[in-house]
Amino acid sequence: PAFGLFLFTIARDPLRIIILIAGAFFWLVSLLLSSLIWFIAVKASDPRDERLQKGLLIFGVMFSVLLQEAFRFLYYKLLRKAIEGLVALSEDGCSPISIQQMAYVAGVGFGLMSGAFSMINLLADALGPGTVGIHGDSQLYFLTSAFMTMVLIFLHTFWGILFFHGCEHRRWWEIAAVVVMHLTVSGSSFCNPLYVGSLVPSYILMAAAAAWAYVLSGGSAQNLRRFLLCKS
């Protein structure tokens, strides 16, 4: 599904590809900085203290979420400046891409890079020397991880639309809602290996975020009905 989004809505437009790659780069930088902070914290602590190590892991996840949203804000500011430059260079005084389209493409960029790193880590674990399930671990680990990766890609896409809309219209509660949803989804991963505790809330939040992003983008029930009935 994520590849379908890229193929049908982004791949044919060079400007959208550039925005997507830049968004992926911003997410990558946020991951690098959060990983560095977590690595330093782990090295500076007692590795034999399991309670402390678990606390540091929780801190690392929450700090990473906040840093990702901070970089999303920085990327919004950068794209806002880019729109001003595009308007100045255009002959008709209009930008070739709207801020809503930028928000969508930037969200896909964040999501694809997040999903890519999730899958890389899973594939690295699958190489061996052992595989998940031998010592009583869930056999559904890789399957549920794939579904979790997919929902995160879509959530980042919808969060990008909500976040940019909040920044554009000074609705800070929309930005706060994105941060809270991101923290909730990331925090639900600590319910594993009880995968129902992480997958079900994540997909519920995805449906809510999708509906919210659809409405903010100008969608309506009438447009949705026309789409489902294949009417122009």
Side-chain angles (χ1 to χ4, degrees), residues 1-2 111 115 118-119 144-157 203 206:
S118 297
M119 294 309 297
T144 54
S145 297
F147 276 99
M148 194 66 185
T149 298
M150 184 178 69
V151 75
L152 280 175
I153 294 174
F154 280 114
L155 278 171
H156 271 292
T157 302
Y203 272 84
M206 184 193 71

Side-chain angles (χ1 to χ4, degrees), residues 17-202:
I17 293 177
I18 293 172
I19 295 172
L20 181 139
I21 294 175
F25 174 76
F26 267 72
W27 186 91
L28 191 61
V29 174
S30 71
L31 177 67
L32 176 64
L33 292 178
S34 58
S35 299
L36 181 62
I37 297 298
W38 180 79
F39 179 78
I40 294 175
V42 169
K43 289 298 181 181
S45 62
D46 185 4
R48 294 169 296 181
D49 191 338
E50 295 183 2
R51 186 175 180 180
L52 176 61
Q53 293 301 315
K54 185 176 181 180
L56 288 176
L57 181 60
I58 296 174
F59 162 77
V61 171
M62 301 303 147
F63 180 78
S64 177
V65 168
L66 296 177
L67 200 58
Q68 287 177 47
E69 298 306 328
F71 270 81
R72 199 192 301 273
F73 178 75
L74 293 176
Y75 193 40
Y76 162 78
K77 300 295 287 186
L78 178 64
L79 290 179
R80 210 67 192 83
K81 292 292 183 182
I83 287 182
E84 296 175 4
L86 291 173
V87 170
L89 293 174
S90 65
E91 296 179 356
D92 57 358
C94 298
S95 172
I97 185 171
S98 66
I99 189 65
Q100 291 86 358
Q101 292 171 336
M102 284 187 169
Y104 164 74
V105 178
V108 174
F110 268 62
L112 287 179
M113 184 56 69
S114 173
F117 263 79
S118 297
M119 294 309 297
I120 287 173
N121 289 334
L122 290 175
L123 293 175
D125 290 338
L127 288 177
T131 55
V132 176
I134 291 178
H135 296 291
D137 297 320
S138 174
Q139 298 285 348
L140 300 176
Y141 174 72
F142 290 105
L143 182 62
T144 54
S145 297
F147 276 99
M148 194 66 185
T149 298
M150 184 178 69
V151 75
L152 280 175
I153 294 174
F154 280 114
L155 278 171
H156 271 292
T157 302
F158 303 140
W159 288 338
I161 297 173
L162 298 176
F163 195 97
F164 278 42
H165 186 273
C167 293
E168 193 72 8
H169 295 86
R170 304 286 181 178
R171 296 182 179 179
W172 306 117
W173 60 272
E174 291 181 351
I175 299 175
V178 171
V179 175
V180 170
M181 283 191 288
H182 200 167
L183 287 170
T184 302
V185 172
S186 298
S188 68
S189 63
F190 292 106
C191 295
N192 295 335
L194 182 61
Y195 297 115
V196 175
S198 58
L199 282 177
V200 173
S202 298

